[in-house]
Amino acid sequence: MRNHRVLSKASVAIALAIGMLASSPLLPFSAASYPPPSLFVTTNTTLTQDLNESIVVGASNLTLDCAFHIVTYHGGKIGILVESLTNVTIRDCRALGFETGYALVSSTGIVLVGDVAAHSLTDGFLVTASGNSLIQDNATANGGNGFTVSVGNVLAFDAAWGNGVDGFHVNADNAVNESVAAGNGNNGFTLAGFRNVLAGDAAVGNTRDGFDLASGNRLEGSTADRNGNDGISVVSASEATLVANTANGNRRIGFYFSSSHKNTVTSNAACGNGIVDAFQDNTSSGNVFVNNVFCTMSGIDPPPPVSPPASPSPLPPRPSPSWLCAAAAWPRTPGATARAPS
């Protein structure tokens, strides 16, 4: 490991309210002392051994490569902290046993690639800033959410396994692509804010819903199978778009709509769910269902039958030769002499 300075009393503006994270995962940070020991990184760094201390990234424009080494310190608050920085890449780290595995605070242009957060007391990955990317990261067996993400970030090819609350809890304007949430204690994916776009994701075997959508979100090409409650739940939400998703084998309902309005549901499929495959209650209105395949459904009008195309109007009969002859013989102008065709 390259040369670094260990801070004995590093002061960082961060504190987590453990008991409130589940209900309000994006609480603001307040001033608190960051507990020692802490490794303070200010240049490009590659670890050569496991660490029994947390890491604070203290400068922009650098790469921290843990080279698959474990970073652990029982009783430490944040495994790896990035605050008020830009253009930092953190890759192949294994943060185990902290209060929170990774925290990105007031920072942009941060890229986390191939990192793991496991056995944190609260969240595995906590992102309270915008413009960051989390790629191929893994959150496993954390006490809170696997990933808690604020506004305007990109997540791709991530995985959340066996976390205590949600696999992914995202606020607004985020993109989450090709990611998996399995066996989490609440929902696989909770879309708590607006204008999130999810594509190609999978929610399997979570305790409650696979996907829980708020207003204005888009869910496309995703799968919700064998979850303990509903596959895809749209409650008190409007103007969401669901396209080409599947929900099979969930304990209750595949696609659930309650107090939801003006949502567009196109080319989805559901079968083999415990109660019914698609359900809309009488407090919902204006939802549009087009080209879906639901083996069973309730409260949703069946699609109108496809009418055969209208037959074209018949052509007038073709004139007979005698009619042609008569027409040719009819005088065209008064006094004209008609001559039958020879």
Side-chain angles (χ1 to χ4, degrees), residues 121-137:
L121 294 178
T122 58
D123 295 338
F125 295 84
L126 178 62
V127 182
T128 67
S130 302
N132 303 293
S133 300
L134 283 72
I135 312 297
Q136 294 182 331
D137 298 310

Side-chain angles (χ1 to χ4, degrees), residues 249-303:
N250 297 284
R251 186 173 181 270
R252 212 174 74 102
I253 298 169
F255 289 78
Y256 176 67
F257 298 87
S258 177
S259 300
S260 59
H261 310 280
K262 299 181 181 179
N263 299 287
T264 302
V265 187
T266 306
S267 301
N268 300 279
C271 207
N273 296 283
I275 297 177
V276 67
D277 296 312
F279 174 82
Q280 176 178 235
D281 69 9
N282 58 12
T283 66
S284 299
S285 64
N287 297 311
V288 178
F289 296 86
V290 179
N291 294 333
N292 300 288
V293 179
F294 300 139
C295 292
T296 60
M297 57 187 178
S298 176
I300 299 172
D301 294 332

Side-chain angles (χ1 to χ4, degrees), residues 169-185:
H169 188 108
V170 299
N171 194 349
D173 294 310
N174 298 287
V176 185
N177 301 323
E178 303 290 342
S179 296
V180 177
N184 298 287

Side-chain angles (χ1 to χ4, degrees), residues 85-104:
L85 301 176
T86 60
N87 191 29
V88 172
T89 298
I90 299 173
R91 63 184 317 120
D92 297 332
C93 297
R94 306 289 182 261
L96 307 181
F98 291 90
E99 188 170 300
T100 298
Y102 302 75
L104 309 185

Side-chain angles (χ1 to χ4, degrees), residues 105-259:
V105 184
S106 302
S107 298
T108 189
I110 312 304
V111 180
L112 273 58
V113 183
D115 297 303
V116 174
H119 302 288
S120 305
L121 294 178
T122 58
D123 295 338
F125 295 84
L126 178 62
V127 182
T128 67
S130 302
N132 303 293
S133 300
L134 283 72
I135 312 297
Q136 294 182 331
D137 298 310
N138 186 303
T140 299
N142 299 286
N145 300 319
F147 296 81
T148 296
V149 182
S150 179
V151 178
N153 298 282
V154 175
L155 288 75
F157 305 104
D158 297 310
W161 306 88
N163 298 286
V165 189
D166 295 333
F168 296 81
H169 188 108
V170 299
N171 194 349
D173 294 310
N174 298 287
V176 185
N177 301 323
E178 303 290 342
S179 296
V180 177
N184 298 287
N186 193 49
N187 300 323
F189 296 80
T190 294
L191 309 185
F194 303 100
R195 298 180 302 276
N196 296 291
V197 177
L198 275 67
D201 299 299
V204 180
N206 299 286
T207 300
R208 289 191 56 79
D209 301 333
F211 297 86
D212 195 341
L213 275 65
S215 296
N217 291 289
R218 181 180 180 89
L219 179 65
E220 181 173 358
S222 297
T223 301
D225 289 349
R226 302 188 302 279
N227 296 286
N229 197 48
D230 301 327
I232 298 172
S233 178
V234 184
V235 177
S236 300
S238 61
E239 299 182 353
T241 302
L242 285 71
V243 180
N245 304 290
T246 61
N248 300 321
N250 297 284
R251 186 173 181 270
R252 212 174 74 102
I253 298 169
F255 289 78
Y256 176 67
F257 298 87
S258 177
S259 300

Side-chain angles (χ1 to χ4, degrees), residues 317-341:
R318 187 168 183 171
S320 65
S322 61
W323 188 90
L324 284 172
C325 292
W330 190 259
R332 289 174 172 79
T333 58
T337 302
R339 186 178 63 180

